[in-house]
Amino acid sequence: MYPEKFRKSIEAVEAAREKNIAYEPARMTAKEKEDLLAAFHPDYRKEEFTELKIGPNKGEKVPHELAAMLQAKSRIKASDVDLTKPDYDVDVLVIGGGGAGSSAAIEAHEAGANVMIVTKLRIGDANTMMAEGGIQAADKPNDSPATHFVDAFGGGHFAAKRELLSKLVCDAPEAIQWLNNLGVEFDKDENGVMVTTHGGGTSRKRMHAAKDYSGAEIMRTLRDEVLNRGIPVVDFTAAIELILDDKGNAAGAVLMNMETEALLVARAKTVVIATGGAGRMHYQGFPTSNHYGATADGLVLGYRVGAKLLYADTLQYHPTGAAYPAQIFGALVTEKVRSLGAKLINCDGEVFMHPLETRDVSAASIIRECNARGKGIDFEEAHGVWLDTPMIEKIGGEGTIERRIPAMMRMFGKFGIDIRKEPILIYPTLHYQNGGLDINVNGMTTNVQNLFVAGEAVGGIHGRNRLMGNSLLDIIVFGRNAGQNAAATYRNVELGKLTLDHIAAFEAERAAAGIDSDEVSPKLLPNYTGNTSGI
Ligand code: MEZ
């Protein structure tokens, strides 16, 4: 239920609805996009970034909050654990129990490796679970991986590592079949053909979905597969430091029981970091669509042993986070809502942009509408612009919302907002880290041997902006890839003596750079105590 004072603006949206449905807003030119991003996208706010003083990316800019974690102290000293008596001894250690970690574990297991998953929460507590709108794959007759590549490369500002993006799009059709065979219930028509839609920046309809809970459906299936195979999952246990051997290669991790804080040692011939994203870092004070554990842990673990980061200065703000009511502030309002026809409308009932521009451009455009043009809804309770969901029913026919985006209908329905009849208020929300650890096409970090990375902790697959549905795709393609390659690698690994010498070396670097903060990392969980801002 909206407060009475929102009414006047809602009436303006209603009055203009028919006209706005018919109106086809122009796409922005490349120059218009560039200028818009420079002026309004949060990645361009210089004061929100700082130069790293130590580590492999010394001199590069990252958000203040990330710099604090990357340059923080370890949670332990080397003498806190006995590396000669490992609690676990495996071929492949997967850190993270989301979609990427599960896919890696399944493939490593399939290849005969002794694999174990360790996760600080439970298997499935991950951004995968939160993904709604779908997963891209060019598997229709009018589409091709080459077209998919062109869309994603342009959408990412031509910055993606070509070989990674190429693998992503070429392996996509097979990834969909793999998921389908595992039991993912994709939306299909009466002939059993998968239904696909557009996303922002896609030139073909290639978004495969399970209604608007695609990630939950994929995660459910992967989790079942992990458990059915009997792959050990050590939950509520965080990796807090990587272990190297005396050759400088990855050789396991120090683990911490989240309840008792007891330390454990996992020795491994290969390690896969699949720790996910960073929304709970709340960069620049933004709310987030991410799950509770998204605190950039993998980036910290990798960085401290010398693994390089790529594009850690670029984040994705999903254009449509829920802005009202407060209980769901920042929650994801899937891009599929716009794919199905809903347009973004300002407080005067005007369409101010094409609804399917790429995400960075859409977010910047919404921020401009609210902050520079004074055309946002701006009340004490909330600010943002309208997403005119009733358009969907008018375009697709009665029942479209319930059939295609039932979770969205339910989320708002709980607060007395019937999205079939009333628009919803949205504002950008922190959604995805475009940057992460730098890998080669085998999924191994470019400079630490036997250390693999998959999923949102990787940088460079999407360049400086990711298109919708390419993240669910990358967790599958690069999760499987990491698992397969870790399994192929471990057979030739002869582990040397395990060491945590890098902790003291990092501490010395901190001291030499004059860093004396007492903060420790990885962060593991957000700290909301004493925070009055609501995030
Ligand atoms: O890829 C995503 O981030 C995604 C599918 C999100 C969404 O809008 O549903």
Side-chain angles (χ1 to χ4, degrees):
M1 195 95 79
Y2 288 114
E4 207 36 52
K5 57 181 149 181
F6 288 22
R7 266 305 132 208
K8 190 161 162 253
S9 183
I10 292 178
E11 279 164 16
V13 175
E14 284 168 353
R17 186 165 294 139
E18 294 296 341
K19 179 170 70 80
N20 283 340
I21 287 174
Y23 175 59
E24 183 64 34
R27 294 274 186 176
M28 284 180 221
T29 64
K31 172 81 174 82
E32 282 168 341
K33 287 184 198 176
E34 245 172 62
D35 293 346
L36 175 70
L37 291 172
F40 295 102
H41 194 278
D43 275 0
Y44 291 73
R45 293 179 191 157
K46 288 203 176 80
E47 68 284 5
E48 298 289 351
F49 295 82
T50 186
E51 261 182 28
L52 289 167
K53 293 184 184 161
I54 55 174
N57 291 74
K58 184 175 165 181
E60 290 182 21
K61 290 217 164 75
V62 299
H64 289 289
E65 301 87 342
L66 181 60
M69 288 299 104
L70 291 174
Q71 301 183 144
K73 289 187 193 172
S74 172
R75 290 176 168 269
I76 53 166
K77 297 188 292 304
S79 55
D80 292 341
V81 287
D82 182 354
L83 297 177
T84 63
K85 296 199 181 88
D87 300 276
Y88 304 100
D89 202 349
V90 293
D91 302 325
V92 181
L93 173 67
V94 177
I95 305 173
S102 300
S103 300
I106 292 166
E107 289 293 355
H109 186 263
E110 181 68 21
N114 170 14
V115 56
M116 173 178 114
I117 295 178
V118 57
T119 172
K120 67 183 171 185
L121 294 168
R122 299 161 304 179
I123 183 168
D125 287 335
N127 282 347
T128 303
M129 192 65 110
M130 323 281 286
E132 296 173 354
I135 170 168
Q136 287 203 44
D139 57 4
K140 295 282 158 111
N142 70 341
D143 203 358
S144 69
T147 311
H148 189 175
F149 183 98
V150 170
D151 288 348
F153 199 50
H157 301 281
F158 308 100
K161 281 178 88 164
R162 284 162 190 260
E163 65 278 22
L164 299 186
L165 183 55
S166 177
K167 178 156 188 68
L168 182 81
V169 299
C170 290
D171 287 8
E174 208 267 314
I176 297 289
Q177 283 317 315
W178 185 70
L179 289 172
N180 192 49
N181 293 341
L182 284 180
V184 171
E185 296 276 2
F186 284 112
D187 296 343
K188 294 179 182 145
D189 67 15
E190 57 283 3
N191 300 315
V193 176
M194 288 191 197
V195 177
T196 50
T197 50
H198 270 299
T202 63
S203 62
R204 299 288 186 279
K205 292 184 176 178
R206 68 171 77 92
M207 203 71 54
H208 302 63
K211 300 193 186 291
D212 56 348
Y213 40 79
S214 310
E217 172 60 10
I218 289 172
M219 193 66 241
R220 172 193 73 76
T221 310
L222 294 174
R223 185 184 53 202
D224 283 354
E225 183 67 16
V226 166
L227 300 180
N228 287 343
R229 282 171 177 262
I231 296 170
V233 179
V234 182
D235 59 10
F236 294 112
T237 301
I240 57 168
E241 202 63 60
L242 293 182
I243 299 169
L244 300 179
D245 71 3
D246 52 10
K247 293 172 264 184
N249 299 338
V254 177
L255 313 178
M256 185 184 81
N257 181 305
M258 293 292 280
E259 196 182 349
T260 63
E261 300 199 352
L263 298 178
L264 300 158
V265 170
R267 194 174 100 117
K269 291 183 176 152
T270 56
V271 177
V272 180
I273 291 180
T275 49
R280 294 283 163 171
M281 301 284 278
H282 292 295
Y283 297 128
Q284 303 189 25
F286 270 84
T288 186
S289 58
N290 284 188
H291 87 108
Y292 191 59
T295 50
D297 300 348
L299 276 52
V300 171
L301 294 174
Y303 199 68
R304 205 137 59 212
V305 295
K308 282 196 196 121
L309 299 170
L310 186 62
Y311 304 145
D313 59 333
T314 148
L315 283 307
Q316 179 163 90
Y317 298 84
H318 194 292
T320 58
Y324 185 87
Q327 292 93 323
I328 52 169
F329 183 49
L332 182 61
V333 174
T334 175
E335 194 166 317
K336 190 169 175 185
V337 172
R338 282 173 286 143
S339 307
L340 294 174
K343 288 186 178 135
L344 290 158
I345 314 283
N346 67 22
C347 66
D348 294 334
E350 298 156 346
V351 174
F352 59 92
M353 56 167 282
H354 191 285
L356 288 176
E357 293 286 5
T358 54
R359 282 188 178 164
D360 52 353
V361 170
S362 303
S365 180
I366 293 164
I367 292 170
R368 175 176 63 183
E369 204 65 11
C370 295
N371 299 359
R373 290 186 172 160
K375 294 266 195 171
I377 313 302
D378 197 8
F379 291 119
E380 199 191 337
E381 292 86 346
H383 75 281
V385 295
W386 297 111
L387 181 56
D388 196 12
T389 44
M391 285 182 170
I392 297 173
E393 296 279 283
K394 290 202 172 285
I395 296 166
E398 216 175 294
T400 307
I401 286 185
E402 192 166 12
R403 203 171 58 252
R404 306 290 300 275
I405 46 171
M408 209 47 42
M409 185 172 138
R410 184 164 177 270
M411 177 166 83
F412 284 94
K414 280 199 284 187
F415 302 102
I417 297 168
D418 184 343
I419 70 171
R420 296 169 299 187
K421 302 199 174 92
E422 290 178 301
I424 53 187
L425 197 62
I426 59 86
Y427 193 76
T429 185
L430 183 54
H431 184 60
Y432 186 77
Q433 73 188 353
N434 296 316
L437 293 159
D438 192 10
I439 59 165
N440 62 28
V441 79
N442 292 330
M444 198 188 283
T445 58
T446 49
N447 61 335
V448 180
Q449 210 49 37
N450 305 338
L451 179 60
F452 293 82
V453 192
E456 200 170 335
V458 174
I461 300 173
H462 310 282
R464 293 188 158 270
N465 177 61
R466 176 179 65 78
L467 300 188
M468 171 192 185
N470 275 349
S471 175
L472 278 179
L473 177 60
D474 97 41
I475 61 167
I476 303 302
V477 168
F478 285 95
R480 296 180 69 196
N481 185 50
Q484 288 160 355
N485 287 314
T489 302
Y490 87 82
R491 292 191 166 84
N492 302 317
V493 171
E494 209 43 71
L495 278 178
K497 182 169 173 271
L498 304 200
T499 105
L500 284 169
D501 288 352
H502 68 274
I503 298 179
F506 197 78
E507 200 45 53
E509 258 201 89
R510 274 170 42 93
I515 301 169
D516 60 1
S517 82
D518 276 334
E519 277 195 87
V520 293
S521 66
K523 193 175 171 77
L524 304 182
L525 295 174
N527 176 10
Y528 293 126
T529 50
N531 182 340
T532 52
S533 72
I535 51 176

Coordinates of all heavy atoms in Angstrom, one line a residue, residues 244-304:
L244 N 50.1 -21.9 1.0 CA 51.0 -22.2 -0.2 C 51.9 -23.4 0.2 O 52.1 -23.7 1.4 CB 51.8 -21.0 -0.6 CG 51.0 -19.7 -1.0 CD1 51.9 -18.6 -1.3 CD2 50.0 -20.0 -2.1
D245 N 52.6 -23.9 -0.8 CA 53.7 -24.8 -0.5 C 55.0 -24.1 -0.7 O 55.0 -22.9 -1.1 CB 53.6 -26.2 -1.2 CG 53.9 -26.1 -2.7 OD1 54.2 -25.0 -3.2 OD2 53.7 -27.1 -3.4
D246 N 56.1 -24.8 -0.4 CA 57.4 -24.0 -0.5 C 57.8 -23.7 -1.9 O 58.8 -23.0 -2.1 CB 58.5 -24.7 0.3 CG 58.6 -26.2 -0.1 OD1 58.0 -26.6 -1.1 OD2 59.3 -27.0 0.6
K247 N 57.0 -24.2 -2.9 CA 57.2 -23.7 -4.3 C 56.4 -22.5 -4.6 O 56.5 -22.0 -5.8 CB 56.9 -24.9 -5.2 CG 57.8 -26.1 -5.1 CD 57.4 -27.3 -5.9 CE 56.6 -28.2 -5.0 NZ 56.1 -29.4 -5.6
G248 N 55.6 -22.1 -3.7 CA 54.7 -20.9 -3.9 C 53.4 -21.2 -4.6 O 52.7 -20.3 -5.1
N249 N 53.1 -22.5 -4.7 CA 51.8 -22.9 -5.3 C 50.7 -23.1 -4.3 O 51.0 -23.4 -3.1 CB 52.0 -24.3 -6.0 CG 53.1 -24.2 -7.1 OD1 53.3 -23.1 -7.6 ND2 53.6 -25.3 -7.5
A250 N 49.5 -22.9 -4.7 CA 48.3 -23.1 -3.8 C 48.3 -24.5 -3.2 O 48.6 -25.5 -4.0 CB 47.0 -22.8 -4.5
A251 N 48.1 -24.7 -1.9 CA 48.2 -26.0 -1.3 C 47.1 -26.2 -0.2 O 47.3 -27.1 0.6 CB 49.6 -26.2 -0.7
G252 N 46.1 -25.4 -0.2 CA 45.0 -25.6 0.8 C 44.6 -24.3 1.4 O 44.8 -23.2 0.9
A253 N 43.9 -24.4 2.5 CA 43.4 -23.2 3.2 C 43.3 -23.5 4.7 O 43.1 -24.6 5.1 CB 42.0 -22.9 2.6
V254 N 43.4 -22.4 5.5 CA 43.1 -22.5 6.9 C 41.6 -22.1 7.0 O 41.1 -21.2 6.4 CB 43.9 -21.4 7.7 CG1 43.5 -21.5 9.2 CG2 45.4 -21.7 7.6
L255 N 40.9 -23.0 7.7 CA 39.4 -22.8 7.9 C 39.1 -22.4 9.3 O 39.8 -22.7 10.2 CB 38.7 -24.1 7.5 CG 39.2 -24.9 6.3 CD1 38.4 -26.2 6.1 CD2 39.0 -24.0 5.0
M256 N 38.0 -21.7 9.4 CA 37.5 -21.3 10.8 C 36.0 -21.7 10.9 O 35.2 -21.3 10.1 CB 37.7 -19.8 10.9 CG 37.3 -19.3 12.4 SD 37.4 -17.5 12.5 CE 35.8 -17.1 11.8
N257 N 35.8 -22.5 12.0 CA 34.4 -22.8 12.3 C 33.7 -21.5 12.7 O 34.1 -20.8 13.6 CB 34.4 -23.8 13.5 CG 33.0 -24.2 13.8 OD1 32.1 -23.4 14.2 ND2 32.7 -25.5 13.8
M258 N 32.6 -21.2 12.0 CA 31.9 -19.9 12.2 C 31.3 -19.7 13.6 O 31.1 -18.6 14.1 CB 30.9 -19.6 11.2 CG 31.4 -19.5 9.8 SD 32.3 -17.9 9.6 CE 31.0 -16.8 9.3
E259 N 31.0 -20.9 14.3 CA 30.4 -20.8 15.6 C 31.4 -20.8 16.7 O 31.4 -19.9 17.6 CB 29.5 -22.0 15.7 CG 28.5 -21.9 16.9 CD 27.6 -23.1 17.1 OE1 27.6 -24.0 16.2 OE2 27.0 -23.2 18.1
T260 N 32.4 -21.7 16.6 CA 33.4 -21.9 17.7 C 34.7 -21.1 17.5 O 35.5 -20.9 18.4 CB 33.7 -23.3 17.9 OG1 34.4 -23.8 16.7 CG2 32.5 -24.2 18.2
E261 N 34.9 -20.7 16.3 CA 36.1 -20.0 15.8 C 37.3 -21.0 15.9 O 38.5 -20.5 15.8 CB 36.4 -18.7 16.5 CG 35.2 -17.7 16.3 CD 35.6 -16.3 16.6 OE1 36.7 -16.0 17.2 OE2 34.8 -15.4 16.3
A262 N 37.1 -22.3 16.0 CA 38.2 -23.2 16.0 C 38.8 -23.2 14.6 O 38.1 -23.1 13.6 CB 37.6 -24.6 16.3
L263 N 40.1 -23.4 14.6 CA 40.8 -23.4 13.3 C 41.1 -24.8 12.8 O 41.4 -25.7 13.6 CB 42.2 -22.6 13.4 CG 42.1 -21.1 13.8 CD1 43.4 -20.5 14.0 CD2 41.2 -20.3 12.8
L264 N 41.0 -25.0 11.5 CA 41.2 -26.3 10.9 C 42.1 -26.1 9.7 O 42.2 -25.0 9.1 CB 39.9 -26.9 10.4 CG 38.9 -27.1 11.5 CD1 37.5 -27.2 10.9 CD2 39.1 -28.4 12.2
V265 N 42.8 -27.2 9.3 CA 43.7 -27.1 8.1 C 43.2 -28.0 7.0 O 43.0 -29.2 7.3 CB 45.2 -27.4 8.5 CG1 46.0 -27.6 7.3 CG2 45.8 -26.4 9.5
A266 N 43.0 -27.5 5.9 CA 42.7 -28.3 4.7 C 43.8 -28.3 3.7 O 44.2 -27.2 3.2 CB 41.4 -27.8 4.0
R267 N 44.4 -29.4 3.6 CA 45.5 -29.6 2.6 C 44.9 -30.0 1.3 O 44.0 -30.8 1.2 CB 46.5 -30.6 3.1 CG 47.8 -30.7 2.4 CD 48.7 -31.7 3.2 NE 48.6 -33.0 2.5 CZ 49.7 -33.5 1.9 NH1 50.9 -33.0 2.1 NH2 49.6 -34.6 1.2
A268 N 45.4 -29.4 0.2 CA 44.8 -29.7 -1.1 C 45.8 -29.5 -2.2 O 46.6 -28.6 -2.2 CB 43.6 -28.8 -1.4
K269 N 45.7 -30.4 -3.2 CA 46.6 -30.2 -4.4 C 46.2 -29.1 -5.3 O 47.0 -28.5 -6.0 CB 46.7 -31.6 -5.1 CG 47.3 -32.6 -4.3 CD 47.4 -33.9 -5.1 CE 48.2 -35.0 -4.3 NZ 47.8 -36.3 -4.6
T270 N 44.9 -28.8 -5.3 CA 44.4 -27.7 -6.1 C 43.3 -27.0 -5.3 O 42.6 -27.7 -4.5 CB 43.9 -28.1 -7.4 OG1 42.8 -29.0 -7.2 CG2 44.9 -28.7 -8.4
V271 N 43.2 -25.7 -5.5 CA 42.2 -24.9 -4.7 C 41.3 -24.2 -5.7 O 41.9 -23.6 -6.7 CB 42.8 -24.0 -3.7 CG1 41.8 -23.1 -3.0 CG2 43.7 -24.7 -2.7
V272 N 40.0 -24.2 -5.5 CA 39.1 -23.4 -6.4 C 38.4 -22.3 -5.5 O 37.7 -22.7 -4.6 CB 38.0 -24.2 -7.1 CG1 37.1 -23.3 -7.9 CG2 38.6 -25.4 -7.9
I273 N 38.7 -21.1 -5.8 CA 38.0 -20.0 -5.1 C 36.7 -19.7 -5.8 O 36.7 -19.4 -7.0 CB 38.8 -18.7 -5.1 CG1 40.1 -18.8 -4.2 CG2 38.0 -17.5 -4.6 CD1 41.0 -17.6 -4.1
A274 N 35.6 -19.9 -5.1 CA 34.3 -19.6 -5.7 C 33.4 -19.0 -4.7 O 32.3 -19.4 -4.3 CB 33.6 -21.0 -6.2
T275 N 33.9 -17.9 -4.1 CA 33.3 -17.2 -3.0 C 32.3 -16.2 -3.3 O 31.7 -15.6 -2.4 CB 34.4 -16.6 -2.1 OG1 35.2 -15.8 -3.0 CG2 35.3 -17.6 -1.4
G276 N 32.1 -15.9 -4.6 CA 31.0 -15.0 -5.0 C 31.4 -13.5 -4.9 O 32.5 -13.1 -5.0
G277 N 30.3 -12.7 -4.7 CA 30.4 -11.2 -4.9 C 30.7 -10.4 -3.6 O 31.2 -10.9 -2.6
A278 N 30.3 -9.1 -3.7 CA 30.7 -8.2 -2.7 C 29.6 -7.2 -2.3 O 29.9 -6.1 -1.7 CB 31.9 -7.4 -3.2
G279 N 28.4 -7.5 -2.6 CA 27.3 -6.5 -2.3 C 27.2 -6.1 -0.9 O 26.9 -4.9 -0.6
R280 N 27.6 -7.0 0.0 CA 27.4 -6.6 1.4 C 28.6 -5.7 1.9 O 28.7 -5.4 3.1 CB 27.3 -7.9 2.3 CG 26.0 -8.7 2.0 CD 24.8 -8.0 2.7 NE 23.6 -8.5 2.1 CZ 22.4 -8.3 2.6 NH1 22.2 -7.6 3.7 NH2 21.3 -8.8 2.0
M281 N 29.4 -5.3 1.0 CA 30.4 -4.3 1.3 C 29.7 -2.9 1.2 O 30.3 -1.9 1.6 CB 31.6 -4.3 0.3 CG 32.3 -5.6 0.3 SD 33.4 -5.9 1.7 CE 34.8 -4.9 1.1
H282 N 28.6 -2.9 0.6 CA 27.8 -1.6 0.5 C 28.6 -0.5 0.1 O 28.6 0.6 0.7 CB 27.1 -1.3 1.9 CG 26.1 -2.3 2.3 ND1 24.9 -2.5 1.6 CD2 26.0 -3.2 3.3 CE1 24.1 -3.4 2.1 NE2 24.8 -3.9 3.2
Y283 N 29.3 -0.7 -1.0 CA 30.1 0.4 -1.6 C 29.3 1.7 -1.8 O 28.1 1.6 -2.2 CB 30.7 0.0 -3.0 CG 31.6 -1.2 -2.9 CD1 31.4 -2.3 -3.8 CD2 32.7 -1.2 -2.1 CE1 32.3 -3.4 -3.7 CE2 33.6 -2.3 -2.0 CZ 33.3 -3.4 -2.8 OH 34.2 -4.5 -2.8
Q284 N 29.9 2.8 -1.4 CA 29.3 4.1 -1.5 C 27.9 4.2 -0.8 O 27.1 5.0 -1.1 CB 29.1 4.5 -2.9 CG 30.4 4.5 -3.7 CD 30.2 5.1 -5.1 OE1 29.4 5.9 -5.4 NE2 31.1 4.7 -6.0
G285 N 27.7 3.3 0.2 CA 26.5 3.3 1.0 C 25.3 2.8 0.2 O 24.1 3.0 0.7
F286 N 25.5 2.1 -0.9 CA 24.3 1.6 -1.6 C 23.7 0.4 -0.9 O 24.4 -0.4 -0.3 CB 24.7 1.2 -3.0 CG 24.6 2.3 -4.1 CD1 25.6 3.2 -4.2 CD2 23.5 2.4 -4.8 CE1 25.5 4.2 -5.1 CE2 23.4 3.4 -5.8 CZ 24.4 4.3 -5.9
P287 N 22.4 0.2 -1.0 CA 21.8 -1.1 -0.6 C 22.2 -2.1 -1.6 O 22.9 -1.8 -2.6 CB 20.3 -0.8 -0.7 CG 20.2 0.2 -1.8 CD 21.4 1.1 -1.7
T288 N 21.9 -3.4 -1.3 CA 22.3 -4.4 -2.2 C 21.2 -5.5 -2.4 O 20.4 -5.7 -1.6 CB 23.6 -5.1 -1.7 OG1 24.0 -6.1 -2.7 CG2 23.3 -5.9 -0.4
S289 N 21.3 -6.1 -3.6 CA 20.5 -7.3 -3.9 C 21.1 -8.6 -3.5 O 20.6 -9.6 -3.7 CB 20.2 -7.3 -5.4 OG 21.5 -7.4 -6.1
N290 N 22.3 -8.5 -2.9 CA 23.1 -9.7 -2.7 C 22.8 -10.4 -1.4 O 22.2 -9.8 -0.5 CB 24.6 -9.3 -2.6 CG 25.3 -9.1 -4.0 OD1 26.5 -8.9 -4.1 ND2 24.5 -9.0 -5.0
H291 N 23.2 -11.7 -1.3 CA 23.0 -12.5 -0.1 C 23.9 -12.0 1.0 O 24.9 -11.3 0.8 CB 23.1 -14.0 -0.5 CG 24.5 -14.5 -0.3 ND1 24.9 -15.3 0.7 CD2 25.6 -14.3 -1.1 CE1 26.2 -15.6 0.6 NE2 26.6 -15.0 -0.5
Y292 N 23.6 -12.5 2.2 CA 24.2 -12.0 3.4 C 25.7 -12.2 3.4 O 26.4 -11.5 4.1 CB 23.5 -12.8 4.6 CG 23.9 -12.2 5.9 CD1 23.6 -10.9 6.3 CD2 24.5 -13.0 6.9 CE1 23.9 -10.4 7.5 CE2 24.8 -12.6 8.1 CZ 24.5 -11.2 8.4 OH 24.8 -10.7 9.7
G293 N 26.2 -13.2 2.7 CA 27.7 -13.5 2.8 C 28.5 -12.9 1.7 O 29.7 -13.2 1.6
A294 N 28.0 -12.0 1.0 CA 28.7 -11.4 -0.2 C 29.7 -10.3 0.2 O 29.4 -9.1 0.1 CB 27.7 -10.9 -1.3
T295 N 30.9 -10.7 0.7 CA 31.8 -9.8 1.3 C 33.2 -9.8 0.7 O 34.2 -9.5 1.4 CB 31.9 -10.0 2.8 OG1 32.1 -11.3 3.1 CG2 30.6 -9.5 3.5
A296 N 33.3 -10.2 -0.6 CA 34.6 -10.1 -1.3 C 35.7 -11.0 -0.7 O 36.9 -10.7 -1.0 CB 35.0 -8.7 -1.5
D297 N 35.3 -12.0 0.0 CA 36.3 -12.8 0.7 C 37.4 -13.4 -0.3 O 38.6 -13.4 0.1 CB 35.7 -14.0 1.4 CG 34.7 -13.5 2.5 OD1 34.7 -12.3 2.8 OD2 33.9 -14.4 3.0
G298 N 36.9 -13.9 -1.4 CA 37.9 -14.6 -2.3 C 38.9 -13.7 -2.8 O 40.1 -14.0 -3.1
L299 N 38.5 -12.4 -3.1 CA 39.5 -11.4 -3.6 C 40.6 -11.2 -2.5 O 41.8 -11.1 -2.9 CB 38.8 -10.1 -3.9 CG 38.1 -10.0 -5.3 CD1 37.2 -11.1 -5.6 CD2 37.4 -8.6 -5.4
V300 N 40.2 -11.2 -1.3 CA 41.1 -10.9 -0.2 C 42.1 -12.2 -0.1 O 43.3 -12.0 0.0 CB 40.4 -10.7 1.1 CG1 41.3 -10.7 2.3 CG2 39.6 -9.4 1.1
L301 N 41.5 -13.4 -0.1 CA 42.3 -14.6 0.1 C 43.3 -14.7 -1.0 O 44.5 -14.9 -0.8 CB 41.4 -15.8 0.0 CG 40.4 -16.1 1.1 CD1 39.5 -17.3 0.8 CD2 41.1 -16.3 2.5
G302 N 42.9 -14.4 -2.3 CA 43.8 -14.5 -3.4 C 44.9 -13.4 -3.4 O 46.0 -13.6 -3.6
Y303 N 44.4 -12.2 -3.1 CA 45.3 -11.0 -3.1 C 46.5 -11.2 -2.1 O 47.6 -10.9 -2.4 CB 44.6 -9.7 -2.8 CG 45.3 -8.5 -3.2 CD1 45.4 -8.2 -4.6 CD2 45.8 -7.6 -2.3 CE1 46.1 -7.0 -5.0 CE2 46.4 -6.4 -2.7 CZ 46.6 -6.2 -4.1 OH 47.2 -5.0 -4.5
R304 N 46.1 -11.7 -0.9 CA 47.2 -11.9 0.1 C 48.3 -12.9 -0.3 O 49.4 -12.8 0.2 CB 46.5 -12.2 1.4 CG 47.4 -11.8 2.6 CD 46.7 -11.2 3.7 NE 45.7 -12.0 4.3 CZ 44.6 -11.5 4.9 NH1 44.3 -10.2 4.9 NH2 43.7 -12.3 5.4

